[in-house]
Amino acid sequence: MSGTPRHSPQDLRQMQSLPLEAKVRMTEARIKAWHEHWGGDVYISFSGGKDSTVLKHIADSLYPSIPSVFVNTGLEYPEVRSFALRQKNVIRLDPAMRFYDVIEKYGYPVVSKEQSQFLYEARTTKSEKLLGIRLNGNRWGKGKISEKWKFLIDAPFKISNKCCDVMKKAPVKKYERETGNKAIVGTMADESFLRRSSWLRYGCNAFTRSRPISQPMSFWTEQDVLRYVVENKLEIASVYGEVKENEDGLLELTGLQRTGCMFCMYGIYKDPIPNRFQRMTHTHPRQYQYCMEQLGLREVLTFMNIPFRELR
């Protein structure tokens, strides 16, 4: 396939504006097309989060025996892990390395996946050209460490973007090689620049990517997911709390808004106060103590000037 985008930003905005009922039908159609194309050799990438829970509910309604794959990294909220593993047709995968070993060998995930990569390369490369790009950008001014985070080049701890690759992607790729199954993932285009760019280029069903992947909810929004949960009386992991309507008529969660890896520091600088670690002092004190003392996050967050102590 050429680099010509399959969709335009206007296409995405138009699809995002559709009513939920239409989005559900479109998602079902994309799942069916993916299932038929691969002769049923497909699986649901299931994190136990609310988005993948909605995806699993839709896919299960079409193909009740479709497998769901959960990667047991040890970094999930315990409530999310227990919720995921008690759902039907769930296959558990375990990574080859523990998080402790990953950060010892490669470094901590900080700021963002992209910035962690740039910092890792700047600190380890022997190429003057690559170092120059990471410090100053390429000819378009891209690919560089943000000025705000350049001080991390001298951090007294390792930094890298390897965690997701080692702990999540590697077990899944091994599963795909062994089974031939192709992934259906519950990500949405408005979650990041990279996901939006991927959708614009490939659409929901990326048959031609080097690793084919289906993202049939790409044109959904956060409000769509919450409304689907409410309308279908769908159970989600308890750490989310309940779905309530606020005074502006929008749906919101009373508990955690996102349930990624507990000890990940991606985006921590954007968190409102109390941030994820400050909340953890009350909700998950044992895990908080472990990540601060045994994993060394206290040193990392202190160096980054990110608050992490309990609010009184």
Side-chain angles (χ1 to χ4, degrees):
M1 177 178 175
S2 70
T4 304
R6 181 174 175 180
H7 294 291
S8 69
Q10 291 77 14
D11 293 334
L12 180 58
R13 288 195 293 270
Q14 188 273 329
M15 293 173 73
Q16 287 174 330
S17 70
L18 293 170
L20 178 58
E21 295 76 12
K23 291 180 177 178
V24 171
R25 291 195 298 271
M26 293 167 69
T27 294
E28 290 175 340
R30 283 152 177 76
I31 293 172
K32 288 178 181 177
W34 191 254
H35 190 276
E36 291 169 9
H37 182 87
W38 300 109
D41 293 334
V42 301
Y43 73 95
I44 299 297
S45 178
F46 183 55
S47 69
K50 66 184 190 312
D51 300 346
S52 65
T53 298
V54 168
L55 173 64
K56 178 172 171 56
H57 187 260
I58 296 172
D60 284 349
S61 71
L62 299 171
Y63 304 104
S65 62
I66 191 171
S68 296
V69 170
F70 173 77
V71 182
N72 183 47
T73 65
L75 303 175
E76 301 82 18
Y77 283 89
E79 297 90 340
V80 172
R81 179 182 183 276
S82 62
F83 170 80
L85 291 177
R86 62 182 169 81
Q87 306 307 308
K88 67 176 184 178
N89 298 329
V90 172
I91 297 169
R92 167 180 156 175
L93 304 181
D94 294 303
M97 292 178 70
R98 301 174 303 156
F99 183 61
Y100 179 87
D101 298 322
V102 173
I103 59 178
E104 280 283 303
K105 183 174 182 178
Y106 299 109
Y108 291 92
V110 300
V111 186
S112 69
K113 190 172 180 65
E114 181 182 74
Q115 288 292 302
S116 286
Q117 176 188 339
F118 294 167
L119 286 160
Y120 175 79
E121 291 173 346
R123 294 172 57 150
T124 60
T125 186
K126 296 179 180 179
S127 166
E128 291 294 327
K129 180 179 180 181
L130 179 58
L131 178 60
I133 292 173
R134 294 301 175 242
L135 294 177
N136 306 303
N138 57 25
R139 58 179 175 171
W140 298 283
K142 305 293 185 181
K144 64 180 178 179
I145 300 168
S146 168
E147 292 296 326
K148 179 178 181 178
W149 302 112
K150 278 189 177 178
F151 75 94
L152 290 174
I153 293 174
D154 300 315
F157 47 82
K158 295 178 181 178
I159 295 170
S160 87
N161 64 319
K162 304 294 185 182
C163 184
C164 286
D165 292 340
V166 173
M167 302 202 71
K168 291 185 176 180
K169 292 182 180 179
V172 164
K173 288 179 179 178
K174 182 174 182 288
Y175 169 81
E176 291 178 357
R177 287 195 303 271
E178 292 174 348
T179 64
N181 288 351
K182 303 296 188 293
I184 306 174
V185 182
T187 54
M188 294 177 286
D190 64 358
E191 291 177 325
S192 72
F193 174 78
L194 289 177
R195 287 174 178 173
R196 182 174 181 272
S197 299
S198 176
W199 184 84
L200 292 176
R201 181 176 181 184
Y202 294 104
C204 295
N205 286 348
F207 295 107
T208 58
R209 278 181 53 167
S210 56
R211 180 198 170 211
I213 190 169
S214 173
Q215 300 168 97
M217 292 172 56
S218 289
F219 47 88
W220 286 45
T221 66
E222 178 82 357
Q223 284 296 298
D224 293 324
V225 171
L226 296 179
R227 191 158 300 283
Y228 187 95
V229 169
V230 171
E231 292 182 359
N232 290 276
K233 297 180 173 58
L234 198 60
E235 181 191 7
I236 55 177
S238 60
V239 286
Y240 286 117
E242 299 179 69
V243 182
K244 299 287 189 181
E245 188 172 293
N246 64 23
E247 59 186 17
D248 297 319
L250 295 176
L251 296 175
E252 60 184 16
L253 294 161
T254 60
L256 295 180
Q257 305 303 300
R258 308 295 297 178
T259 58
C261 298
M262 291 188 76
F263 311 142
C264 182
M265 290 172 281
Y266 286 162
I268 181 66
Y269 64 98
K270 296 179 180 179
D271 277 14
I273 302 297
N275 63 33
R276 68 193 72 166
F277 293 109
Q278 291 172 314
R279 293 194 302 272
M280 203 187 297
T281 62
H282 297 285
T283 61
H284 298 82
R286 184 172 64 84
Q287 287 85 355
Y288 174 84
Q289 198 67 23
Y290 173 75
C291 71
M292 291 300 159
E293 303 303 334
Q294 293 183 252
L295 295 180
L297 266 63
R298 181 185 302 276
E299 177 189 14
V300 178
L301 293 169
T302 298
F303 190 84
M304 294 175 66
N305 198 31
I306 302 292
F308 59 88
R309 292 181 174 84
E310 178 182 4
L311 289 178
R312 300 291 183 180

